[in-house]
């Protein structure tokens, strides 16, 4: 049934061609009869048949003849402009429409001419002139549908002309005068956008509130409305609300809207500023689909931003795919090495360590003297270290240290030294690395910690005096409080438990042996021997064995000596407690503490009037990690205590 329609179209086309043929070839004899009228009629025929180029030529020819005969001039001038308009000669058409308006200001075509003058000026990019012409239609022909359309166009052109105040004024007039028009929603959004740009936030909020209550045939309107509400909230520093509106914009997607690209770019910037990398990924994907639909190739910058956010969101597979797309575009050398480094990070993130290290080693070759080539060795070292492949890690770190200008070399050297100290217990090698660090980087952030580790290595090598010397340096150098506290603890430990005095012990034993047996009771000899083992040789277990023998001595110690013997025995247990606590032997520490407390309490219960009661009470309090109330109670119970100053200092620290 389509054939009759097809043939009718063919006949119509042939008739038009025939008309053109007849008038072209017969125009000369016709002109000879009545030249002016014939040219005009021929132009009209071409015009009706949409042969605008031929019609334009005849109208212009007619006007040249009409220098002597002015009838029919308005139509010719208007149609010349219209032909130029239909032929997309916007600049010429604009000039011709304006000439028509100037010559025939009261012609019945004047409104259409003014409107088309605006249309053609807009097409040339002269938005100021276009806005003026459109506004002229509105102000002169208020009440007509064309005037209503012209007002909207006047506002749009003023906006494009960056005349924000004028655009706001015209959009506002339209929004108030035509609230139920099908495009009033779009007008409200344009008005709100300009008000936000002008920082008139309160007014913009009212416009959006009114727009929200009106229906719109545009399915994209809800998403667009959410976008403008989002940027208003963002500009007012209400970021949580802005996040909600941006999410609404995404969820209400019903196709691409005029502000789509700008809106989604703004959304991505907002998410990136909030470091919401995972939330940004579907936004990138939707924006990419927009570019695909528009046949726009994804730019390197867009792909790189998408890949970076994927990597930061730990979507390593997606990130690597995007990075490789960038590599296919043959980027510059600097970008190529950056991308390869990021790919290695993604491979490491997926725990494909072998492939990551291979990528890094290749990068170190192609960018041997560059920033990322250097960083590749550092990253490879970290990966080896994470897999406990310490020799390979140290090798990679040393490659990094060889690179001139590499940052944070002190940190890397510190890690090498700590690896020798903690992973291999090679304290001599660690000492050399720590000393090298302090020599090369005396102002390093790691210098205090390196000094602390240096002291520990000396202690492990039993060079206790050198260890104490480095710990004491920390106390004088203004190190961090935690290091100072640890250094003080280590100094006490070494002095109390590690540094022995064999010479003093030998002299004391010699003097003891020279005393005749009959002039020194067994219990007193044993008491002095236990003290030698505890004070000079730090052999606390041996001292306790002797105290056990002392309890069975014959004759038994007199009652007057028991407070002193009990106190010294308790002190040995207290020392064992401190040593076990330092060595992290919790079971031994708890046992020694319990025994010390029992003996100190025995002194208080049995020998409360002896001079050792004050000492016992103080030690019990200190073993219990005294608080404010226990310090105050001690001072109240023992107002004359020799430990009063120390207790007051402890109390002051609590108040601080």
């Amino acid at each position: 049934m389509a054939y009759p329609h097809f043939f009718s179209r063919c006949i119509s086309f042939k008739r038009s061609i025939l008309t053109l043929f007849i008038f072209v070839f017969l125009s000369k004899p016709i002109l000879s009869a009545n030249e002016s009228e014939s040219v005009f009629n021929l132009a009209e025929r071409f015009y009706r048949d949409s042969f605008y180029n031929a019609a334009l030529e005849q109208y212009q020819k007619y006007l040249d003849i009409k220098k002597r005969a002015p009838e029919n001039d308005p139509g010719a001038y208007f149609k010349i402009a219209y032909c130029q308009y239909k032929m997309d000669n916007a600049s010429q058409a604009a000039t011709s429409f304006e000439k028509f308006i100037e010559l025939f200001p009261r012609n019945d075509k004047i409104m259409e001419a003014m409107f088309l003058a605006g249309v053609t000026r807009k097409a040339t990019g002269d938005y100021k002139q276009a806005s003026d012409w459109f506004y002229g239609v509105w102000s002169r022909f208020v009440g007509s549908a064309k005037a209503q359309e012209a007002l909207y166009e006047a506002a749009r052109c003023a906006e494009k002309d960056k005349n924000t105040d004028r655009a706001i004024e015209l959009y506002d007039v339209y929004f108030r005068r035509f609230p139920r028009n099908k495009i009033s929603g779009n007008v409200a959004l344009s008005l709100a956008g300009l008000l936000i740009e002008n920082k008139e936030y309160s007014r913009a909020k009212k416009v959006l509130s009114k727009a929200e209550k009106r229906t719109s045939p545009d399915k994209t309107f809800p998403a667009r409305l959410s976008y403008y509400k989002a940027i208003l909230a963002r500009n007012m520093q209400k970021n949580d609300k802005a996040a909600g509106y941006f999410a609404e914009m995404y969820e209400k997607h019903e196709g691409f809207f005029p502000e789509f690209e700008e809106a989604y770019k703004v959304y991505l910037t907002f998410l990136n500023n909030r470091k919401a990398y995972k939330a940004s990924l579907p936004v990138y994907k939707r924006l990419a689909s927009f570019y695909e639909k528009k046949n726009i190739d994804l730019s390197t910058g867009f792909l790189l931003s998408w890949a970076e956010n994927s990597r930061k969101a730990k979507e390593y597979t997606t990130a690597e795919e995007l990075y490789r797309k960038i590599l296919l575009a043959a980027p510059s050398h600097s970008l190529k090495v950056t991308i390869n480094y990021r790919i290695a990070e993604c491979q490491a993130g997926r725990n494909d360590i072998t492939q990551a290290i291979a990528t890094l080693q290749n990068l170190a070759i192609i960018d041997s003297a560059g920033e990322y080539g250097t960083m590749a060795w550092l990253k490879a070292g970290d990966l080896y270290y994470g897999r406990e492949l310490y020799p390979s890690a140290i090798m990679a770190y040393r490659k990094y240290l060889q690179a001139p200008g590499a940052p944070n070399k002190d940190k890397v050297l510190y890690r090498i030294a700590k690896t020798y100290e903690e992973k291999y217990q090679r304290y001599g090698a660690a000492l050399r690395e720590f000393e090298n660090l302090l020599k090369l980087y005396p102002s390093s952030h790691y210098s205090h910690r390196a000094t602390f580790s240096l002291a520990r290595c000396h202690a492990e090598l039993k060079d206790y005096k050198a260890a104490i010397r480095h710990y004491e340096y920390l106390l004088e150098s203004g190190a961090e409080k935690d290091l100072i506290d640890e250094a003080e603890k280590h100094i006490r430990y070494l002095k109390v438990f590690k540094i022995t005095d064999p010479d003093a012990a030998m002299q004391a034993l010699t003097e003891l042996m020279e005393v005749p047996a009959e002039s020194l009771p067994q219990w007193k000899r044993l008491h002095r021997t236990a003290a030698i083992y505890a004070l000079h040789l730090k052999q606390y277990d041996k001292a306790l064995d002797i105290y056990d023998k002392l309890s069975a001595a014959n004759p038994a110690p007199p009652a007057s000596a028991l407070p002193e013997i009990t106190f010294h025995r308790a002190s040995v247990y207290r020392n064992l407690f401190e040593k076990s606590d330092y060595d992290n032997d919790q079971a031994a520490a708890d046992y020694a503490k319990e025994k010390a407390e029992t003996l100190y309490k025995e002194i208080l219960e049995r020998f409360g009037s002896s001079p050792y009661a004050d000492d016992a009470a103080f030690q019990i309090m200190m073993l219990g990690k005294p608080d404010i109330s226990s310090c105050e109670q001690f001072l109240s119970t023992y107002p004359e205590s020799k430990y009063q100053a120390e207790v007051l200092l402890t109390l002051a620290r609590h108040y601080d």
Side-chain angles (χ1 to χ4, degrees):
M1 296 301 294
Y3 291 115
H5 177 67
F6 172 75
F7 285 120
S8 65
R9 292 182 64 187
C10 290
I11 292 168
S12 175
F13 178 73
K14 288 180 178 180
R15 185 180 296 121
S16 297
I17 295 297
L18 181 60
T19 301
L20 176 61
F21 177 81
I22 292 171
F23 278 94
V24 168
F25 287 98
L26 299 182
S27 60
K28 193 169 184 178
I30 293 173
L31 289 174
S32 62
N34 187 337
E35 185 178 14
S36 174
E37 184 179 352
S38 298
V39 170
F40 186 80
N41 289 339
L42 181 59
E44 290 285 278
R45 180 63 63 87
F46 287 146
Y47 184 84
R48 283 194 299 273
D49 288 341
S50 301
F51 293 112
Y52 296 114
N53 193 20
L56 175 62
E57 184 180 346
Q58 295 304 314
Y59 282 129
Q60 288 174 334
K61 185 175 181 181
Y62 166 75
L63 288 179
D64 288 340
I65 298 171
K66 283 292 290 177
K67 289 176 183 178
R68 301 184 300 277
E71 66 270 10
N72 296 318
D73 283 1
Y77 275 102
F78 180 84
K79 288 174 181 176
I80 283 174
Y82 194 81
C83 287
Q84 292 167 334
Y85 164 64
K86 297 298 285 185
M87 292 165 61
D88 293 327
N89 293 329
S91 181
Q92 293 179 7
T95 302
S96 297
F97 279 125
E98 289 165 357
K99 186 173 183 181
F100 171 83
I101 295 165
E102 179 185 356
L103 293 174
F104 310 104
R106 300 188 181 282
N107 188 272
D108 58 358
K109 289 279 190 180
I110 193 68
M111 181 175 70
E112 186 177 1
M114 291 173 66
F115 190 88
L116 289 174
V119 171
T120 49
R121 283 298 175 194
K122 178 182 175 182
T124 65
D126 188 349
Y127 298 113
K128 184 181 185 308
Q129 285 277 13
S131 181
D132 290 344
W133 280 120
F134 285 129
Y135 186 75
V137 175
W138 159 253
S139 60
R140 186 169 172 181
F141 302 101
V142 172
S144 68
K146 184 63 74 175
Q148 184 176 324
E149 182 183 357
L151 176 60
Y152 177 62
E153 290 295 336
R156 289 184 67 193
C157 288
E159 182 180 358
K160 288 181 177 292
D161 190 43
K162 307 299 182 185
N163 190 344
T164 303
D165 292 339
R166 178 65 169 164
I168 289 173
E169 177 188 355
L170 296 176
Y171 278 131
D172 187 56
V173 171
Y174 193 102
F175 188 59
R176 286 186 289 102
R177 291 287 295 270
F178 309 110
R180 289 181 172 78
N181 188 281
K182 63 181 181 180
I183 66 167
S184 65
N186 294 337
V187 171
L189 297 182
S190 297
L191 175 57
L194 292 174
L195 290 170
I196 293 169
E197 186 181 321
N198 256 20
K199 299 183 180 180
E200 298 182 52
Y201 301 137
S202 178
R203 192 176 166 192
K205 185 176 180 180
K206 290 178 182 178
V207 170
L208 291 173
S209 179
K210 291 179 181 178
E212 191 171 15
K213 296 174 184 177
R214 298 174 186 175
T215 59
S216 173
D218 183 359
K219 290 184 178 181
T220 66
F221 181 76
R224 298 177 65 207
L225 177 64
S226 295
Y227 166 61
Y228 282 100
K229 289 165 73 175
I231 59 173
L232 175 61
R234 181 204 62 183
N235 285 17
M236 294 176 71
Q237 303 300 316
K238 297 179 179 180
N239 288 328
D240 289 339
K241 280 192 173 183
Y245 290 135
F246 275 125
E248 279 184 16
M249 176 191 77
Y250 182 86
E251 292 164 3
K252 293 177 179 178
H253 177 72
E254 287 282 350
F256 303 122
F257 49 88
E259 306 93 340
F260 182 88
E261 182 179 11
E262 175 194 357
Y264 273 64
K265 283 182 176 180
V266 170
Y267 189 15
L268 286 173
T269 301
F270 178 81
L271 290 172
N272 290 342
N273 288 340
R274 302 192 102 196
K275 298 183 178 179
Y277 304 119
K278 195 171 188 67
S280 74
L281 301 186
V283 182
Y284 277 107
K285 190 172 182 179
R286 185 170 288 176
L287 188 54
S289 68
F290 167 80
Y291 289 134
E292 183 179 353
K293 187 172 182 179
K294 297 290 184 181
N295 292 320
I296 300 172
D297 292 333
L298 299 182
S299 68
T300 298
F302 179 81
L303 286 171
L304 184 58
S305 178
W306 189 358
E308 288 287 278
N309 278 32
S310 299
R311 179 177 60 82
K312 291 172 183 176
K314 299 184 179 180
E315 296 286 345
Y316 298 117
T317 300
T318 300
E320 184 173 349
E321 289 173 357
L322 292 165
Y323 285 132
R324 293 198 181 280
K325 282 185 180 181
I326 299 172
L327 289 179
L328 288 175
S332 63
H333 174 76
S334 60
L335 183 56
K336 183 178 179 181
V337 296
T338 303
I339 296 303
N340 275 290
Y341 186 82
R342 297 301 184 211
I343 288 174
E345 287 185 312
C346 292
Q347 293 165 339
R350 291 201 312 272
N351 207 32
D352 189 354
I353 305 301
T354 302
Q355 188 58 52
I357 290 174
T359 303
L360 290 167
Q361 288 174 337
N362 184 56
L363 176 57
I365 293 170
I366 65 174
D367 191 45
S368 58
E371 175 188 1
Y372 280 94
T374 301
M375 288 172 60
W377 285 119
L378 179 59
K379 183 68 175 178
D382 291 343
L383 294 177
Y384 282 128
Y385 190 91
R387 300 190 79 183
E388 300 183 358
L389 300 172
Y390 302 121
S392 297
I394 291 173
M395 179 276 295
Y397 287 144
R398 293 204 186 281
K399 288 278 189 181
Y400 177 82
L401 292 174
Q402 291 169 8
N408 302 321
K409 285 187 177 182
D410 55 336
K411 179 180 179 181
V412 175
L413 190 52
Y414 180 76
R415 170 162 275 197
I416 291 174
K418 292 296 286 184
T419 302
Y420 282 125
E421 177 194 359
E422 296 177 350
K423 306 302 179 182
Y424 292 139
Q425 287 79 50
R426 291 176 56 186
Y427 301 110
L431 269 175
R432 288 190 293 273
E433 299 296 343
F434 284 125
E435 288 171 348
N436 195 28
L437 169 62
L438 293 171
K439 178 181 177 182
L440 294 174
Y441 310 103
S443 301
S444 169
H445 174 71
Y446 295 91
S447 61
H448 288 150
R449 298 194 178 275
T451 302
F452 184 84
S453 293
L454 194 62
R456 290 191 61 177
C457 290
H458 278 298
E460 292 291 345
L461 293 171
K462 303 188 184 308
D463 188 353
Y464 301 125
K465 291 183 179 179
I468 290 173
R469 186 170 65 251
H470 284 96
Y471 284 134
E472 288 177 340
Y473 170 78
L474 282 176
L475 302 183
E476 300 167 0
S477 64
E480 298 89 335
K481 185 179 184 304
D482 63 326
L483 285 181
I484 289 176
D485 292 343
E486 283 294 309
E488 288 177 339
K489 180 179 176 182
H490 283 279
I491 290 170
R492 171 173 170 73
Y493 174 81
L494 293 176
K495 287 183 175 180
V496 174
F497 306 118
K498 288 296 183 181
I499 297 180
T500 61
D501 192 348
D503 293 338
M506 184 62 69
Q507 182 178 351
L509 284 171
T510 301
E511 291 175 356
L512 183 60
M513 292 177 68
E514 290 176 350
V515 177
E518 62 275 9
S519 65
L520 191 67
Q522 184 187 22
W523 70 266
K524 189 171 286 189
R525 190 180 298 275
L526 289 171
H527 189 195
R528 289 185 182 181
T529 303
I532 292 169
Y533 277 106
L535 294 175
H536 300 307
L537 299 177
K538 316 298 185 186
Q539 296 183 22
Y540 301 112
D541 291 336
K542 186 67 175 176
L544 289 174
D545 288 342
I546 295 173
Y547 276 118
D548 289 339
K549 292 177 181 178
L550 189 153
S551 62
N554 187 19
S560 60
L562 290 178
E564 180 184 1
I565 294 170
T566 306
F567 180 77
H568 287 164
R569 188 178 185 187
S571 297
V572 173
Y573 277 114
R574 178 176 55 77
N575 286 344
L576 274 174
F577 160 68
E578 290 184 9
K579 184 177 185 300
S580 300
D581 185 55
Y582 180 93
D583 293 334
N584 294 317
D585 187 347
Q586 194 61 47
D590 291 343
Y591 173 78
K593 180 181 178 183
E594 182 181 359
K595 294 292 287 185
E597 286 179 333
T598 300
L599 291 170
Y600 285 135
K601 287 176 182 177
E602 183 181 342
I603 293 172
L604 292 178
E605 292 169 0
R606 293 180 60 191
F607 314 110
S609 60
S610 75
Y612 290 99
D614 181 23
D615 297 286
F618 177 75
Q619 294 299 336
I620 289 172
M621 183 182 71
M622 296 307 292
L623 283 170
K625 296 182 179 179
D627 55 16
I628 292 175
S629 61
S630 59
C631 288
E632 290 177 342
Q633 184 177 354
F634 179 88
L635 293 172
S636 174
T637 306
Y638 302 96
E640 303 297 327
S641 171
K642 62 184 177 182
Y643 297 103
Q644 187 178 52
E646 190 171 344
V647 175
L648 286 171
L649 182 60
T650 303
L651 192 62
R653 286 172 181 165
H654 279 297
Y655 280 120
D656 284 343

